[in-house]
Amino acid sequence: MPEQPRSSLDPIFQPKAVAIIGASATATKIGGRPIAFLQTAEFEGSIYPVNPNYADVQGLPAFPTVSAIGAPVDLAIVAVPAAQVLASLEDAARAGVKASIIFSSGFAEVGPQGEALQRSITQLSHASGMRIIGPNCLGVMSGADRLYATFSPIISDGAAPHGHISIVSQSGAFGAYCYAMARERGLGVCRWVTTGNEADVDIGECLDWLVGDPVTKVVVMYMEGCRDGDKLVRALKKAQAARKPVIIVKVGRTEVGAAAAASHTAALAGADHVYDAVFRQFGAFRAQSIEEAFDLAYAITVAGLPRGPRLGMLTVSGGAGVLMADVAAELGLEVPEMPQAAQARIRDRIAFAGTRNPVDITGQSGSDPELMPLAYELMLGDARYDSLVVFLSAAGLSRGAPGLVGMAARMRAKYPDRIIVMSSLFPPHLRAELDAAGVIAFEDPNRAVRTLAALTWIGERHASPAPSHAADRVVVIPAQAMTEPEAFDLLRAQGLPMASCRLAKTPDEAAAAADAFGYPVVLKIVSPDIQHKTEIGGVILGLTSAAAVREGYATLRRNVATRRPDAQVQGVMVAPQLSGGVECILGVQRDPVFGPVVLVGLGGVFAEAMRDVVLRLAPVDVAQARQMISELKGHTILAGWRGSAAADVEALAQALAALSDVAVAAGDQIESIDINPVLVRPAGEGVVALDALVIARRTPSSLQDEPPKAPSPAVEHV
Amino acid sequence: MPEQPRSSLDPIFQPKAVAIIGASATATKIGGRPIAFLQTAEFEGSIYPVNPNYADVQGLPAFPTVSAIGAPVDLAIVAVPAAQVLASLEDAARAGVKASIIFSSGFAEVGPQGEALQRSITQLSHASGMRIIGPNCLGVMSGADRLYATFSPIISDGAAPHGHISIVSQSGAFGAYCYAMARERGLGVCRWVTTGNEADVDIGECLDWLVGDPVTKVVVMYMEGCRDGDKLVRALKKAQAARKPVIIVKVGRTEVGAAAAASHTAALAGADHVYDAVFRQFGAFRAQSIEEAFDLAYAITVAGLPRGPRLGMLTVSGGAGVLMADVAAELGLEVPEMPQAAQARIRDRIAFAGTRNPVDITGQSGSDPELMPLAYELMLGDARYDSLVVFLSAAGLSRGAPGLVGMAARMRAKYPDRIIVMSSLFPPHLRAELDAAGVIAFEDPNRAVRTLAALTWIGERHASPAPSHAADRVVVIPAQAMTEPEAFDLLRAQGLPMASCRLAKTPDEAAAAADAFGYPVVLKIVSPDIQHKTEIGGVILGLTSAAAVREGYATLRRNVATRRPDAQVQGVMVAPQLSGGVECILGVQRDPVFGPVVLVGLGGVFAEAMRDVVLRLAPVDVAQARQMISELKGHTILAGWRGSAAADVEALAQALAALSDVAVAAGDQIESIDINPVLVRPAGEGVVALDALVIARRTPSSLQDEPPKAPSPAVEHV
């Protein structure tokens, strides 16, 4: 009985028998390359060239079809023109092939005809259970299993060393470039997969497999977008739980970039800032460049992740110490001062050293061989820093360099739970020694600290993964447009701190409500047909007497009758006009890829223009809501700025978590909820929501006419 | 007659005769190294070891004193213990030595005694005219003149290639590290100077010399702070006028960094954000890391600066195109679309190429050799991009690489005023070919675009240097504290748009003034002894009748009598209470290093918490003021945000320029002026200043008691 695969992607990364459909006798042609690569790499499984025109190909017996092979095939590589792909796949599926990789292009990337062809491939995959990578991809390399199922010429120049970095890329050329960069830097790679048009298997599923792969220690992922947010989130959660770092280069950050992406990929992209929020939420690090991604992958495979955020800096140059301190402060690393006794011990040896942190042992370290080991011991042993960055100027090239490298290696061995980064210039053989000892090396001190900050961030996110949090109730959202009083009622019933309000149907009712609330009050027209009330004169502020309210009621009705005679009017909403406190925004928006996203932001025109908002996928509990608020650029204002009292952040966090519960309980019924503003009162005095807009999700048929709306805090409000 | 030096620093960088005081026979000792280095480098001038204990040193005749040499000496290197330095210098000065470099440490960096010793050196220098580098420095290397006046062992491992980059560093260890980094990257260096404690010559003066040096094409400068802002500004202006790029790594950006710097350097540092403003103002680029600094120095020496901001992106990978477009957009480069006809010509060859910009010619470029030259021609010839970045994936390592390099070289030769950057992995010999052809190469596409953006920024600043602008009048600031009405009068007289106000000395006068202005009005207590009026109940807002004004007048007097019985009260200021428009802040602050700095910022609690201000050294003309306003993060709000009218930016710029004129005309009399808020009305309606605080400069004697105040927009206001 054959071994049961743990995943349907096993045959892609670890096949025992591979067929090449469209096999070529020429080792440099697309259908010839994988055969040559597999033979050169001494692939241990069977290789079956498939080509009806040859009896043998590159020294191997060839078969006219996959069915004709007569032996089990795990993986078929398809290298025939687009028009022949479907027939080849059907043959492969009939023969019981478990997975295919389609090199061929001419599918969704070339327009409607290609899209139709690609849909047939997807259907075949779903119907047969045969998993498919591509089409329009450069294939898969799985060096740990000697599998080179690719036609990328990059492998002709040599394979990357065996190691623990896996690369998954939606772009073939970019993937090839990443592979070459890793190889040129001497970084060890284990798996490499380019997903192309993703007719079946997508990057989320590839990531999921790589997270489960014991050889992979870190995944570098290049993506433009994804269609299945659930799959991606599942894989990211799994990575976080397994403490397996994921480094993502996601392009399309800017509008210019997104426009370029749209012309390049057929992927349906969610809004970029939602991706950003998802990555943060599940502890995947978003690198700004592929260079940064490999800096991290290198550091993680050499040394792992720091146990905490406390950074020590040891330097032979005061200037470099200041430079590193600047970067550490900017990136939010903790740089606690050395214990006084430890500082005194360094001053005993060198009176004018910097001893707080950075510890600057100056050029003196050259003439006093005890100085540096003492500093290491005091910083790792006494100060117990979680990470230590050591700037050695150019000493890594000096005659004393082997001694310095040996010292770092001994310290790492003695304190194996601490990360040590050396910043200096080193020759290759010393770099290799540092690698072997688990010590990271970067030439540039800025880059050293930057990398440590990223490792620390990942380590912290892995230490406290987001709890899963199921909704225990259901909220029903009416399909028709909700008026503001209805929205207030709905949200109040779910525990949100809505301001008082009353729906008045006559001037007298309005005046009575105002008398009950006390003055001033605000009046707003209530109509399911009018969402932007201000524009048609549907709002009156600052009314200070019953007479003014009666007059205001009449004015509102008149304005609507004139400007929106079609609108059905239910009456006028009366509410006390509140002020005081910090204005914030709470919201929910359904993302087309990831589902409901909650957001919190600071209010006011400047904060909105600066887009000071933090997003997360729902659900969000109170602790996570607190975390979100702390990530606002203007959180200092809530904390009490320029002598003003601290705002009730706790009540705001509770309101945000309650809104998240509504989003989860309402599921797919909601397009968006905006609560803007929420007044956050001084600590202990709570929050109060002054305005709410709930928009039910449009039906799928109406969705086809309009593109899905991107989340935005800048919705029109009274 | 000896040749007249063009600068008193010539003998430091280009001496014809060098004496080494404290010369050692041991080539590895501090006093022995420069002799060994000079001989190895075949220094063409005379070398005179000075040491009373030897007849010859390292094969050269030695002298007991400099006076005993009996021949002209341009430069003396001083390598004796601190206690002997002054006597050695006196001897050298007597002998007519033109300049000295002091290696010795034990001066200002070690405390008060050392400071006193250093002051004697400064006095000697000023009295004798002998220029001095150091003490406590690693010296000077001037490879273009075969001068290695240093004891840094870095040179033992080999000199950097001769080239056109000069390095000036306040830190020896950091300077050595920079030198090694340049050498390891194969970058050509011409001058290298470490300034140490700067008893005489400082970095500003070194920069000035290097800007005048015909061999130097770009200066990389490491600094912690400077004492003489005028010298630095003069040198930066000279560099800008000469179009010689200056790249600065200035540490102490953050408070943590500044604290580390304070423990390391004796330099009196101006506020870091003032340095930042000065660098921007005079077109010096502030690099975040030494790696970035050398990226720029490399690119500038290879290719020069772009003629404009229009960037074209050519790629064989759509993904890399998007990545580059993201970076370009974030950094504000212009990425105009290709002309339609040019797009059509590319589509003719490859139907599914991206053609707008980035131009994505896909992997197809491998099989169609005409495709890439066509794209080059269309992008440089038709679209006339100023810079072109070409992403080649890993093709720089392929067999086709020499052809790709040759193509780039031909294009650069054909379009010599355009910058071409290749992003790929290249072997060293092809990198050298690209260097020779004036084509830049970076592995990482992000880094390629980032470098281009910096080059573009420098090029733009060089194209439009700040005009010099002299004050043509003098403003006298009274030494005693000014009241707000006095401040209003002073500023109004200088053309600033102050709100109307009147000083009332009785309740009736106040009521009459209010009647004249119209309601509501605001009342503020007027006393030279009270600057923070709100705290003592010295301000009342929103008074809407004469009776309320009379009552308010009494309340203010009562509040002051109770809470500040000592204060001399001149009356009450009455002003109309204005609102509407965007709240901004204007200010002047005297920086201890650079003198008067003007600032503009957005008002409101969030904008102030975000520190949304832009600074510049005065004088600032209207065009520069406009530029400053456009650099505000929240400038979109002034431009008319969310449907509101555009604000009167022109009037704001005029007010800022007028304030700059006041700052210049008042010179050293002013400590600070704060105008907060200024209401910026819709375009055409002007601006009006509601509040002003003018603080005269404290006398030098009081300055010694308190540290000079750092500029800050967060001054207390009504």
Short mmCIF file of all heavy atoms in Angstrom, two decimals, chain A residues 110 173 177 222 252-254 288 291 319 326 330 352 393 443-447 606 608 612 642, chain B residues 110 173 177 222 252-254 288 291 319 326 330 352 393 443-447 606 608 642:
data_model
loop_
_atom_site.label_atom_id
_atom_site.label_comp_id
_atom_site.label_asym_id
_atom_site.label_seq_id
_atom_site.Cartn_x
_atom_site.Cartn_y
_atom_site.Cartn_z
N VAL A 110 -3.55 36.52 -21.25
CA VAL A 110 -3.63 37.06 -22.61
C VAL A 110 -5.04 37.47 -23.02
O VAL A 110 -5.25 37.84 -24.17
CB VAL A 110 -3.07 36.07 -23.67
CG1 VAL A 110 -1.62 35.75 -23.36
CG2 VAL A 110 -3.91 34.82 -23.75
N ALA A 173 9.81 35.64 -13.18
CA ALA A 173 11.07 36.38 -13.32
C ALA A 173 11.55 36.88 -11.97
O ALA A 173 12.75 36.84 -11.67
CB ALA A 173 10.89 37.55 -14.28
N TYR A 177 14.97 35.81 -9.96
CA TYR A 177 15.90 36.82 -9.46
C TYR A 177 16.16 36.61 -7.96
O TYR A 177 17.31 36.69 -7.49
CB TYR A 177 15.28 38.19 -9.75
CG TYR A 177 15.82 39.32 -8.95
CD1 TYR A 177 17.10 39.81 -9.18
CD2 TYR A 177 15.05 39.91 -7.96
CE1 TYR A 177 17.58 40.87 -8.44
CE2 TYR A 177 15.52 40.96 -7.22
CZ TYR A 177 16.79 41.44 -7.46
OH TYR A 177 17.26 42.48 -6.72
N TYR A 222 6.87 36.42 -2.45
CA TYR A 222 6.60 37.58 -3.29
C TYR A 222 5.16 37.50 -3.76
O TYR A 222 4.76 36.50 -4.36
CB TYR A 222 7.55 37.61 -4.50
CG TYR A 222 7.06 38.60 -5.53
CD1 TYR A 222 7.31 39.95 -5.38
CD2 TYR A 222 6.26 38.19 -6.59
CE1 TYR A 222 6.82 40.87 -6.27
CE2 TYR A 222 5.76 39.11 -7.50
CZ TYR A 222 6.04 40.44 -7.34
OH TYR A 222 5.54 41.36 -8.21
N GLY A 252 2.45 46.88 -4.99
CA GLY A 252 1.18 47.57 -5.14
C GLY A 252 0.84 48.40 -3.91
O GLY A 252 -0.33 48.62 -3.62
N ARG A 253 1.86 48.87 -3.20
CA ARG A 253 1.64 49.71 -2.02
C ARG A 253 1.02 51.04 -2.38
O ARG A 253 0.25 51.60 -1.64
CB ARG A 253 2.98 50.04 -1.34
CG ARG A 253 3.58 48.98 -0.51
CD ARG A 253 4.60 49.57 0.47
NE ARG A 253 5.63 50.38 -0.15
CZ ARG A 253 6.76 49.94 -0.63
NH1 ARG A 253 7.03 48.65 -0.61
NH2 ARG A 253 7.65 50.75 -1.16
N THR A 254 1.45 51.57 -3.52
CA THR A 254 1.01 52.92 -3.90
C THR A 254 0.03 52.82 -5.06
O THR A 254 -0.11 51.77 -5.69
CB THR A 254 2.21 53.75 -4.36
OG1 THR A 254 2.74 53.17 -5.55
CG2 THR A 254 3.29 53.79 -3.30
N GLN A 288 10.29 45.80 2.57
CA GLN A 288 10.15 46.83 1.55
C GLN A 288 10.93 46.49 0.30
O GLN A 288 10.73 47.09 -0.75
CB GLN A 288 10.62 48.18 2.08
CG GLN A 288 9.84 48.68 3.27
CD GLN A 288 8.37 48.81 2.99
OE1 GLN A 288 7.95 49.53 2.09
NE2 GLN A 288 7.54 48.08 3.73
N GLU A 291 16.02 42.70 -0.94
CA GLU A 291 17.26 42.73 -0.17
C GLU A 291 16.96 42.63 1.33
O GLU A 291 17.58 41.86 2.05
CB GLU A 291 17.98 44.05 -0.48
CG GLU A 291 19.33 44.19 0.13
CD GLU A 291 20.05 45.42 -0.47
OE1 GLU A 291 19.69 46.57 -0.13
OE2 GLU A 291 20.95 45.22 -1.28
N GLY A 319 30.55 57.42 17.39
CA GLY A 319 29.68 57.84 16.30
C GLY A 319 28.76 56.73 15.85
O GLY A 319 27.55 56.92 15.70
N ASP A 326 20.08 55.88 17.24
CA ASP A 326 19.04 56.56 16.46
C ASP A 326 18.10 55.55 15.81
O ASP A 326 16.88 55.67 15.88
CB ASP A 326 19.68 57.40 15.35
CG ASP A 326 20.15 58.78 15.82
OD1 ASP A 326 19.63 59.25 16.85
OD2 ASP A 326 21.01 59.38 15.16
N GLU A 330 14.13 54.91 16.59
CA GLU A 330 13.12 55.09 15.54
C GLU A 330 12.28 53.85 15.34
O GLU A 330 11.11 53.93 15.02
CB GLU A 330 13.81 55.44 14.22
CG GLU A 330 14.08 56.90 14.06
CD GLU A 330 15.02 57.18 12.91
OE1 GLU A 330 15.47 56.22 12.25
OE2 GLU A 330 15.31 58.35 12.68
N PHE A 352 36.93 57.17 30.20
CA PHE A 352 36.05 58.03 29.41
C PHE A 352 35.22 57.25 28.40
O PHE A 352 34.78 57.77 27.40
CB PHE A 352 36.87 59.15 28.78
CG PHE A 352 37.48 59.99 29.86
CD1 PHE A 352 38.79 59.80 30.27
CD2 PHE A 352 36.70 60.92 30.53
CE1 PHE A 352 39.33 60.55 31.31
CE2 PHE A 352 37.23 61.67 31.57
CZ PHE A 352 38.54 61.50 31.97
N SER A 393 34.00 48.65 13.69
CA SER A 393 34.64 49.43 12.64
C SER A 393 35.18 48.44 11.60
O SER A 393 34.48 47.49 11.26
CB SER A 393 35.74 50.33 13.23
OG SER A 393 36.29 51.16 12.23
N GLU A 443 27.67 44.41 7.36
CA GLU A 443 28.64 45.50 7.25
C GLU A 443 28.11 46.77 7.89
O GLU A 443 28.77 47.43 8.68
CB GLU A 443 28.90 45.82 5.76
CG GLU A 443 29.84 44.87 5.10
CD GLU A 443 30.25 45.35 3.72
OE1 GLU A 443 29.97 46.52 3.38
OE2 GLU A 443 30.84 44.54 3.00
N ASP A 444 26.88 47.13 7.51
CA ASP A 444 26.34 48.43 7.86
C ASP A 444 25.63 48.37 9.22
O ASP A 444 24.73 47.54 9.41
CB ASP A 444 25.35 48.85 6.77
CG ASP A 444 24.88 50.26 6.96
OD1 ASP A 444 25.57 51.18 6.52
OD2 ASP A 444 23.82 50.44 7.59
N PRO A 445 25.99 49.23 10.18
CA PRO A 445 25.37 49.16 11.51
C PRO A 445 23.89 49.50 11.49
O PRO A 445 23.10 48.93 12.25
CB PRO A 445 26.15 50.19 12.33
CG PRO A 445 26.87 51.07 11.36
CD PRO A 445 27.05 50.26 10.11
N ASN A 446 23.50 50.41 10.59
CA ASN A 446 22.09 50.75 10.43
C ASN A 446 21.32 49.48 10.03
O ASN A 446 20.28 49.15 10.61
CB ASN A 446 21.98 51.82 9.35
CG ASN A 446 20.56 52.28 9.10
OD1 ASN A 446 19.66 51.47 8.96
ND2 ASN A 446 20.36 53.60 9.03
N ARG A 447 21.85 48.77 9.05
CA ARG A 447 21.19 47.57 8.55
C ARG A 447 21.17 46.48 9.63
O ARG A 447 20.19 45.71 9.72
CB ARG A 447 21.98 47.11 7.32
CG ARG A 447 21.21 46.28 6.35
CD ARG A 447 21.90 46.34 5.00
NE ARG A 447 21.62 45.17 4.21
CZ ARG A 447 22.14 44.95 3.01
NH1 ARG A 447 22.97 45.84 2.46
NH2 ARG A 447 21.86 43.86 2.33
N PHE A 606 -7.25 67.04 9.94
CA PHE A 606 -5.84 66.73 9.74
C PHE A 606 -5.59 65.23 9.89
O PHE A 606 -4.91 64.61 9.08
CB PHE A 606 -4.98 67.51 10.73
CG PHE A 606 -3.51 67.37 10.49
CD1 PHE A 606 -2.90 68.09 9.47
CD2 PHE A 606 -2.73 66.52 11.24
CE1 PHE A 606 -1.54 67.95 9.22
CE2 PHE A 606 -1.38 66.38 11.01
CZ PHE A 606 -0.78 67.09 9.99
N GLU A 608 -7.65 62.83 9.45
CA GLU A 608 -8.21 62.10 8.32
C GLU A 608 -7.36 62.28 7.07
O GLU A 608 -7.14 61.35 6.31
CB GLU A 608 -9.66 62.50 8.08
CG GLU A 608 -10.57 61.99 9.20
CD GLU A 608 -12.05 62.16 8.87
OE1 GLU A 608 -12.43 62.01 7.70
OE2 GLU A 608 -12.82 62.45 9.81
N ASP A 612 -4.78 58.57 9.50
CA ASP A 612 -4.29 57.96 10.74
C ASP A 612 -5.30 56.93 11.21
O ASP A 612 -6.12 57.19 12.10
CB ASP A 612 -4.06 59.03 11.81
CG ASP A 612 -3.35 58.47 13.03
OD1 ASP A 612 -2.82 57.34 12.93
OD2 ASP A 612 -3.32 59.14 14.07
N ARG A 642 -0.12 67.60 25.98
CA ARG A 642 -0.02 69.00 26.41
C ARG A 642 -0.89 69.28 27.61
O ARG A 642 -1.68 70.23 27.63
CB ARG A 642 -0.40 69.94 25.26
CG ARG A 642 0.72 70.04 24.23
CD ARG A 642 0.40 71.03 23.15
NE ARG A 642 0.41 72.40 23.60
CZ ARG A 642 0.22 73.45 22.82
NH1 ARG A 642 0.02 73.25 21.54
NH2 ARG A 642 0.23 74.65 23.29
N VAL B 110 38.40 64.32 27.73
CA VAL B 110 38.63 63.66 29.03
C VAL B 110 38.27 64.55 30.22
O VAL B 110 38.52 64.16 31.35
CB VAL B 110 40.09 63.17 29.18
CG1 VAL B 110 40.46 62.22 28.05
CG2 VAL B 110 41.07 64.33 29.24
N ALA B 173 37.16 56.44 14.32
CA ALA B 173 36.81 55.04 14.06
C ALA B 173 35.78 54.96 12.95
O ALA B 173 35.84 54.09 12.08
CB ALA B 173 36.27 54.39 15.33
N TYR B 177 36.20 53.24 9.25
CA TYR B 177 35.23 52.25 8.75
C TYR B 177 34.68 52.66 7.38
O TYR B 177 34.56 51.85 6.46
CB TYR B 177 34.12 52.13 9.80
CG TYR B 177 32.83 51.56 9.33
CD1 TYR B 177 32.72 50.22 9.03
CD2 TYR B 177 31.72 52.37 9.20
CE1 TYR B 177 31.52 49.69 8.61
CE2 TYR B 177 30.52 51.86 8.78
CZ TYR B 177 30.43 50.52 8.49
OH TYR B 177 29.24 50.01 8.06
N TYR B 222 30.62 62.68 7.77
CA TYR B 222 30.02 62.14 8.99
C TYR B 222 30.11 63.20 10.06
O TYR B 222 31.19 63.70 10.37
CB TYR B 222 30.75 60.88 9.46
CG TYR B 222 30.35 60.54 10.88
CD1 TYR B 222 29.16 59.87 11.13
CD2 TYR B 222 31.12 60.94 11.96
CE1 TYR B 222 28.76 59.61 12.42
CE2 TYR B 222 30.71 60.68 13.26
CZ TYR B 222 29.53 60.01 13.48
OH TYR B 222 29.12 59.77 14.76
N GLY B 252 22.36 61.49 15.87
CA GLY B 252 21.67 62.24 16.90
C GLY B 252 20.28 62.67 16.44
O GLY B 252 19.75 63.68 16.90
N ARG B 253 19.67 61.90 15.53
CA ARG B 253 18.32 62.22 15.03
C ARG B 253 17.29 62.09 16.14
O ARG B 253 16.32 62.81 16.16
CB ARG B 253 17.91 61.20 13.95
CG ARG B 253 18.44 61.44 12.59
CD ARG B 253 17.60 60.71 11.54
NE ARG B 253 17.39 59.31 11.82
CZ ARG B 253 18.21 58.34 11.46
NH1 ARG B 253 19.31 58.62 10.82
NH2 ARG B 253 17.94 57.08 11.71
N THR B 254 17.48 61.11 17.01
CA THR B 254 16.47 60.83 18.03
C THR B 254 16.98 61.26 19.38
O THR B 254 18.17 61.53 19.55
CB THR B 254 16.17 59.32 18.07
OG1 THR B 254 17.37 58.65 18.50
CG2 THR B 254 15.79 58.79 16.70
N GLN B 288 20.65 58.10 5.62
CA GLN B 288 20.27 57.45 6.87
C GLN B 288 21.33 56.44 7.32
O GLN B 288 21.33 55.99 8.45
CB GLN B 288 18.93 56.74 6.72
CG GLN B 288 17.79 57.67 6.39
CD GLN B 288 17.59 58.76 7.41
OE1 GLN B 288 17.37 58.49 8.59
NE2 GLN B 288 17.71 60.02 7.00
N GLU B 291 25.96 53.12 4.28
CA GLU B 291 25.74 52.33 3.07
C GLU B 291 25.01 53.19 2.01
O GLU B 291 25.41 53.23 0.85
CB GLU B 291 24.89 51.11 3.43
CG GLU B 291 24.68 50.13 2.33
CD GLU B 291 24.04 48.85 2.88
OE1 GLU B 291 22.84 48.87 3.22
OE2 GLU B 291 24.75 47.85 2.97
N GLY B 319 6.43 42.05 -11.83
CA GLY B 319 6.48 42.23 -10.39
C GLY B 319 7.51 43.26 -9.98
O GLY B 319 7.24 44.16 -9.18
N ASP B 326 6.18 51.46 -7.00
CA ASP B 326 5.84 51.78 -5.60
C ASP B 326 6.88 52.72 -4.99
O ASP B 326 6.54 53.73 -4.38
CB ASP B 326 5.78 50.50 -4.75
CG ASP B 326 4.45 49.77 -4.84
OD1 ASP B 326 3.45 50.40 -5.22
OD2 ASP B 326 4.41 48.57 -4.53
N GLU B 330 6.40 56.62 -3.81
CA GLU B 330 6.62 57.00 -2.42
C GLU B 330 7.64 58.12 -2.29
O GLU B 330 7.54 58.96 -1.41
CB GLU B 330 7.12 55.80 -1.61
CG GLU B 330 6.00 54.96 -1.08
CD GLU B 330 6.50 53.63 -0.55
OE1 GLU B 330 7.73 53.39 -0.59
OE2 GLU B 330 5.67 52.85 -0.12
N PHE B 352 1.09 41.49 -25.11
CA PHE B 352 0.63 41.62 -23.74
C PHE B 352 1.67 42.25 -22.82
O PHE B 352 1.68 42.03 -21.63
CB PHE B 352 0.10 40.27 -23.25
CG PHE B 352 -1.06 39.84 -24.08
CD1 PHE B 352 -0.91 38.95 -25.14
CD2 PHE B 352 -2.31 40.41 -23.86
CE1 PHE B 352 -1.99 38.61 -25.94
CE2 PHE B 352 -3.39 40.05 -24.66
CZ PHE B 352 -3.24 39.16 -25.70
N SER B 393 16.26 41.10 -14.00
CA SER B 393 16.24 39.86 -13.22
C SER B 393 17.68 39.39 -13.05
O SER B 393 18.55 40.21 -12.79
CB SER B 393 15.34 38.82 -13.90
OG SER B 393 15.24 37.66 -13.10
N GLU B 443 22.09 45.71 -7.46
CA GLU B 443 21.38 44.43 -7.47
C GLU B 443 19.90 44.63 -7.22
O GLU B 443 19.04 44.13 -7.92
CB GLU B 443 21.90 43.53 -6.34
CG GLU B 443 23.20 42.86 -6.66
CD GLU B 443 23.55 41.81 -5.62
OE1 GLU B 443 22.71 41.47 -4.77
OE2 GLU B 443 24.70 41.35 -5.67
N ASP B 444 19.59 45.39 -6.18
CA ASP B 444 18.22 45.48 -5.68
C ASP B 444 17.48 46.61 -6.39
O ASP B 444 17.94 47.76 -6.39
CB ASP B 444 18.27 45.75 -4.18
CG ASP B 444 16.90 45.69 -3.55
OD1 ASP B 444 16.47 44.58 -3.18
OD2 ASP B 444 16.25 46.74 -3.44
N PRO B 445 16.31 46.32 -7.01
CA PRO B 445 15.60 47.38 -7.75
C PRO B 445 15.10 48.50 -6.83
O PRO B 445 15.06 49.66 -7.24
CB PRO B 445 14.43 46.63 -8.41
CG PRO B 445 14.30 45.35 -7.68
CD PRO B 445 15.65 45.01 -7.11
N ASN B 446 14.73 48.16 -5.62
CA ASN B 446 14.31 49.17 -4.65
C ASN B 446 15.46 50.15 -4.41
O ASN B 446 15.28 51.37 -4.46
CB ASN B 446 13.94 48.44 -3.34
CG ASN B 446 13.44 49.36 -2.25
OD1 ASN B 446 14.05 50.39 -2.00
ND2 ASN B 446 12.36 48.99 -1.60
N ARG B 447 16.62 49.60 -4.18
CA ARG B 447 17.80 50.44 -3.90
C ARG B 447 18.16 51.27 -5.13
O ARG B 447 18.61 52.42 -5.00
CB ARG B 447 18.94 49.50 -3.53
CG ARG B 447 20.02 50.10 -2.68
CD ARG B 447 20.76 48.98 -1.97
NE ARG B 447 22.12 49.35 -1.64
CZ ARG B 447 23.00 48.53 -1.05
NH1 ARG B 447 22.63 47.30 -0.74
NH2 ARG B 447 24.22 48.94 -0.78
N PHE B 606 -3.76 67.67 16.79
CA PHE B 606 -3.17 66.52 16.10
C PHE B 606 -1.95 66.93 15.29
O PHE B 606 -0.90 66.29 15.35
CB PHE B 606 -4.22 65.86 15.19
CG PHE B 606 -3.75 64.58 14.58
CD1 PHE B 606 -3.74 63.41 15.33
CD2 PHE B 606 -3.31 64.53 13.28
CE1 PHE B 606 -3.29 62.22 14.78
CE2 PHE B 606 -2.87 63.34 12.72
CZ PHE B 606 -2.87 62.18 13.48
N GLU B 608 -0.01 69.43 15.78
CA GLU B 608 1.11 69.74 16.66
C GLU B 608 1.72 68.48 17.27
O GLU B 608 2.94 68.37 17.39
CB GLU B 608 0.68 70.73 17.75
CG GLU B 608 0.40 72.12 17.17
CD GLU B 608 0.20 73.18 18.25
OE1 GLU B 608 0.89 73.11 19.28
OE2 GLU B 608 -0.66 74.05 18.06
N ARG B 642 -11.34 67.45 0.95
CA ARG B 642 -12.73 67.00 1.11
C ARG B 642 -13.72 68.09 0.72
O ARG B 642 -14.64 68.41 1.46
CB ARG B 642 -12.98 66.54 2.54
CG ARG B 642 -12.39 65.16 2.79
CD ARG B 642 -12.72 64.65 4.16
NE ARG B 642 -14.14 64.33 4.33
CZ ARG B 642 -14.65 63.84 5.44
NH1 ARG B 642 -13.89 63.62 6.47
NH2 ARG B 642 -15.93 63.57 5.52
#
